[in-house]
Amino acid sequence: MREMFTIVNDNRDLISFANGQMVMHDNDVADRYDAAQQVIDDIHEYEVAQMKEKLAQATIAKAYLDEVERGGRP
C-alpha cells in the first residue's frame, strides 16, 4: 500500500481528481499504480481463501466434537 501512496505523492503533477475519482494523465504512472493495486488484490484473495479453508476445518472439527459429545461414532 505504501507503494501506491508513493506513486501518488511522487506524481502529483500527473494526477488530478474529477467526480470523486483519481485521474492519471500518464500511462506509466497508471500502470505502476495498477500493479501495486493488483498486489493488494492478490494478497486479499489469498487471505480470503486461507480463511475459508480454516472455517471449513473448524466446521469439520465442530461436527466431529458434536458427534462425540452425543456419544456417537465419529
Side-chain angles (χ1 to χ4, degrees), residues 38-54:
Q38 187 61 51
V39 169
I40 291 171
D41 292 346
D42 291 347
I43 291 169
H44 173 72
E45 188 175 309
Y46 173 79
E47 288 177 342
V48 167
Q50 292 296 310
M51 289 304 296
K52 286 181 178 179
E53 178 64 28
K54 288 179 182 181

Side-chain angles (χ1 to χ4, degrees), residues 10 12 18 22 26 32 36 38 42 44 50 61 70-71:
D10 291 350
R12 289 180 183 205
M22 188 167 44
D26 181 278
R32 288 176 32 230
Q38 187 61 51
D42 291 347
H44 173 72
Q50 292 296 310
R70 283 193 295 267

Side-chain angles (χ1 to χ4, degrees), residues 15-63:
I15 299 171
S16 63
F17 292 87
N19 299 321
Q21 294 202 0
M22 188 167 44
V23 179
M24 298 190 184
H25 304 284
D26 181 278
N27 289 337
D28 181 55
V29 172
D31 290 344
R32 288 176 32 230
Y33 185 89
D34 290 344
Q37 178 66 51
Q38 187 61 51
V39 169
I40 291 171
D41 292 346
D42 291 347
I43 291 169
H44 173 72
E45 188 175 309
Y46 173 79
E47 288 177 342
V48 167
Q50 292 296 310
M51 289 304 296
K52 286 181 178 179
E53 178 64 28
K54 288 179 182 181
L55 178 60
Q57 291 172 354
T59 301
I60 291 167
K62 182 180 180 329

